[in-house]
Amino acid sequence: MNTVLLNLRAIRGRAYPRIVGLIREPSWIFWETVLPLLSISAFIYVYRSLNAPPMYEGFVVLGGVMTTYWLNVLWSMAAQLYWEKETANLQLYLAAPMSKMSILAGMAFGAIISTTLRATTILLLGIFVFHVKFVISSPLLLLLVFVVALLALYGMGMLFASLYLMWGREAWYLNNLFQEPVYFLSGQYFPVKALGTFLAAAASIIPLTLGLDAMRQILFPESIPWGFLNPWIELGILSVLTVIFLVAAKYALDRIEYLGKTKGTLTMRWQ
Amino acid sequence: MNVKNELKAAMWLEFQIESNWTSPLIFAIYNILKPVGAALVLVAMFYVVVGAWTGNSLAFMYVGNAFYMILAQTLFSIGWIVHDDREHYSTLRYLYISPTPYFRYLVGRSITRYSLSIVPMCVLLLLGLALKIEYRFNLLLLTFALILGFVFIVGTALLISGINLLTARHGGAIGEAFAGIFYLASGVVFPVALLPGWAQQIALVFPTTYWFSIIRIAVLGYESDKFMGGFSVPDLCLYLTTLSFVYFFLAYLLFRFADTLARKLGILDMSTTY
């Protein structure tokens, strides 16, 4: 079979359960949509309790939208190969003839579609319940930043998927650790510039940081003084991060395959 | 085996599962970093609006958040136990046929999780000194609140475990959902007075609402939430005690019901290939 066709089929095959799973297990939508809504509502009330200008409530909604992608990257990408190992699917993946990158790409594609549903719910809640007003100053730039930020995020998830597989049980704990501290470092609900130049620059390795900062400036022009960098520059850096993460993911995937063959323990459970 | 030993074994198991994946030092850092991260988000939010690192509103949300971490971490962790035992470790059937009742085993594991969550809370209170939060501790009231907190938090954890016996793959999500409802409706990081009237009435049904109010009085010496400020300390204690035991009793009944139903349906050790 043509290699390109084979890999495209692998991508479709791995994306399929994630998209169809939405319909087969609708209760997931409830849990995974309601959960972020609760904390987002609470953070909006925090800003209200401080008498903050309305744009801050918009920051929370925007942060909430991007949080769903971040959580998805952690739990449905980064930890996925480890879980596949625990459920004995990993050996099937390794034995299959396509590139392992196609598996990860399929996971990412399916995950983006299912997560967008949840993200849209949060956005609608922000607009209709909390009356957040978005002023899109540059639709093209917004679209570019959003897409490239997602590519970088899921590229990072693909890299983590291989690393977590190597690290074993620590993966679960790392995922827990990569939530609240990352929310803080990436300026999930507040402008990252508040952290100071050094910390904000260091946190820029997380694609969420620059993606959020750029989108905040585009959607809330009055927040430009709080912007860390010019959105175009942030878009450039995000593009570089995307390439780096994807190349690193490929390298890490080859590495675990090599380790799996030489050590013979890759698909053993509870490692 | 007597009850004490059974609880001790379950507590030790929980500690091992939580901590033996790494060195004690890394575990200690891990146990603290997550709550500190959550607290720093609130501090940063306060800073970008107020332009200062200190203030009464900050003290309100900081203390509420520090104690919320006990509740959130316990519920999140306990939410996974049934799922882990049933599908990850595949040990649920063996636990059920062992002499220790599963209910008691869950309580034992909850005790450890609750205790482990108190450590980061103490660290957060210490870090609060850097934010010039003025503590006026009432240790007696604080001890009372922590004991009652254990009762309703473990009660809620049992309820979550009961739901998990009947459902697939929602372990963590259910725990987080309960914690999220309490976070929003119990005046953890903002006053209950800000909620719409109907939500305030709902808040009064949760023991957490009284718990956080008592916590603030026990730690800060005052309650700045106008809505909860209408309750006297004895009233708060009475409501917290009553609701905590009602929650625990109802959760116990629901757990028993779920347990019976799971056995009857033959899904006690089902595998959902998660």
Side-chain angles (χ1 to χ4, degrees):
Chain A
M1 187 186 285
N2 180 305
T3 312
V4 177
L5 193 64
L6 176 73
N7 284 297
L8 284 175
R9 282 185 174 181
I11 292 172
R12 188 187 66 179
R14 191 58 191 86
Y16 178 80
R18 297 216 154 167
I19 298 164
V20 171
L22 277 175
I23 305 158
R24 298 259 174 91
E25 185 65 64
S27 55
W28 278 27
I29 301 175
F30 173 76
W31 289 113
E32 295 189 21
T33 308
V34 167
L35 270 182
L37 291 185
L38 294 170
S39 59
I40 286 162
S41 304
F43 283 116
I44 285 179
Y45 276 111
V46 167
Y47 273 134
R48 285 189 181 176
S49 73
L50 298 171
N51 295 316
M55 79 170 174
Y56 286 89
E57 295 177 19
F59 293 173
V60 174
V61 173
L62 181 63
V65 167
M66 295 309 287
T67 303
T68 57
Y69 290 105
W70 176 246
L71 288 175
N72 190 257
V73 164
L74 289 181
W75 295 104
S76 298
M77 288 296 298
Q80 190 66 32
L81 287 186
Y82 173 71
W83 281 342
E84 301 285 12
K85 178 177 82 169
E86 297 294 293
T87 53
N89 282 334
L90 185 65
Q91 46 202 311
L92 300 176
Y93 289 162
L94 293 176
M98 73 288 153
S99 159
K100 309 306 168 265
M101 282 296 277
S102 303
I103 296 282
L104 292 175
M107 282 187 337
F109 182 66
I112 286 175
I113 289 182
S114 57
T115 308
T116 300
L117 176 75
R118 292 190 281 278
T120 308
T121 313
I122 293 167
L123 199 60
L124 292 176
L125 172 98
I127 293 169
F128 294 109
V129 177
F130 290 107
H131 309 292
V132 170
K133 288 191 178 70
F134 297 99
V135 181
I136 306 175
S137 57
S138 172
L140 177 69
L141 183 56
L142 178 67
L143 185 70
L144 282 173
V145 167
F146 179 70
V147 171
V148 176
L150 282 193
L151 288 175
L153 268 178
Y154 280 85
M156 191 184 213
M158 289 162 86
L159 169 64
F160 280 3
S162 303
L163 296 178
Y164 279 23
L165 191 58
M166 281 192 262
W167 294 334
R169 267 183 73 203
E170 288 88 340
W172 164 262
Y173 299 96
L174 274 172
N175 259 1
N176 274 329
L177 201 58
F178 284 159
Q179 288 181 35
E180 281 79 0
V182 167
Y183 297 165
F184 168 66
L185 289 172
S186 62
Q188 202 84 332
Y189 301 124
F190 59 89
V192 73
K193 196 180 178 182
L195 299 181
T197 309
F198 179 75
L199 204 52
S204 298
I205 188 75
I206 309 162
L208 210 54
T209 310
L210 295 179
L212 269 171
D213 192 66
M215 282 190 272
R216 255 193 306 263
Q217 293 180 65
I218 299 165
L219 289 167
F220 306 99
E222 65 269 41
S223 76
I224 287 174
W226 274 110
F228 176 51
L229 295 170
N230 181 293
W232 284 102
I233 296 173
E234 291 176 328
L235 177 65
I237 297 173
L238 283 171
S239 308
V240 174
L241 283 176
T242 304
V243 175
I244 291 173
F245 284 136
L246 288 176
V247 171
K250 173 81 176 85
Y251 173 78
L253 207 52
D254 291 344
R255 178 81 186 146
I256 57 160
E257 215 172 342
Y258 170 76
L259 286 176
K261 284 173 186 168
T262 50
K263 288 189 175 177
T265 56
L266 188 65
T267 56
M268 281 174 70
R269 297 182 73 192
W270 302 316
Q271 296 294 307
Chain B
M1 200 187 273
N2 61 30
V3 175
K4 190 180 155 193
N5 284 342
E6 286 172 351
L7 287 176
K8 225 166 97 178
M11 287 166 66
W12 179 243
L13 176 69
E14 173 68 14
F15 183 71
Q16 287 301 313
I17 289 177
E18 286 291 328
S19 66
N20 76 0
W21 55 278
T22 187
S23 66
L25 178 68
I26 300 279
F27 173 69
I29 294 170
Y30 164 81
N31 200 31
I32 290 164
L33 268 184
K34 197 175 154 82
V36 168
L40 289 177
V41 170
L42 289 168
V43 172
M45 286 171 72
F46 178 84
Y47 172 74
V48 295
V49 177
V50 179
W53 296 105
T54 186
N56 280 348
S57 300
L58 181 64
F60 179 100
M61 64 174 80
Y62 189 86
V63 169
N65 182 70
F67 282 83
Y68 171 77
M69 285 300 143
I70 301 177
L71 182 144
Q73 291 200 322
T74 307
L75 292 189
F76 181 71
S77 182
I78 304 302
W80 278 107
I81 289 181
V82 167
H83 206 265
D84 265 353
D85 287 344
R86 188 177 66 199
E87 303 188 37
H88 185 199
Y89 299 118
S90 306
T91 50
L92 190 66
R93 70 192 72 169
Y94 308 114
L95 287 164
Y96 257 83
I97 58 172
S98 74
T100 304
Y102 194 63
F103 169 79
R104 208 171 290 156
Y105 159 86
L106 285 174
V107 172
R109 289 189 63 174
S110 305
I111 293 171
T112 301
R113 187 61 261 180
Y114 187 84
S115 311
L116 285 174
S117 305
I118 288 177
V119 178
M121 180 271 291
C122 294
V123 173
L124 280 175
L125 290 185
L126 270 176
L127 291 176
L129 293 172
L131 300 167
K132 294 179 184 165
I133 293 175
E134 290 176 21
Y135 298 121
R136 292 188 192 90
F137 286 107
N138 179 337
L139 288 179
L140 190 65
L141 193 59
L142 187 60
T143 309
F144 167 81
L146 286 175
I147 292 169
L148 265 294
F150 177 77
V151 174
F152 75 77
I153 290 173
V154 171
T156 313
L158 286 173
L159 175 63
I160 293 167
S161 300
I163 297 170
N164 284 340
L165 282 174
L166 301 171
T167 56
R169 293 175 275 195
H170 297 309
I174 294 173
E176 277 191 70
F178 273 89
I181 291 166
F182 293 145
Y183 192 62
L184 176 61
S186 300
V188 179
V189 286
F190 61 87
V192 177
L194 275 183
L195 289 169
W198 58 268
Q200 289 175 357
Q201 296 309 310
I202 293 174
L204 291 178
V205 179
F206 298 134
T208 38
T209 310
Y210 305 96
W211 192 62
F212 282 110
S213 189
I214 290 174
I215 290 286
R216 273 189 291 271
I217 294 168
V219 173
L220 296 172
Y222 62 91
E223 169 59 287
S224 54
D225 182 349
K226 283 177 190 164
F227 184 76
M228 293 310 293
F231 291 88
S232 66
V233 174
D235 280 351
L236 287 171
C237 293
L238 180 66
Y239 284 121
L240 176 63
T241 309
T242 310
L243 282 174
S244 296
F245 283 103
V246 167
Y247 258 62
F248 190 88
F249 182 65
L250 286 177
Y252 177 75
L253 289 182
L254 285 166
F255 176 81
R256 281 275 168 249
F257 172 73
D259 179 61
T260 309
L261 198 60
R263 289 169 195 251
K264 205 173 170 183
L265 295 171
I267 57 171
L268 200 59
D269 63 346
M270 67 175 166
S271 175
T272 52
T273 62
Y274 182 52

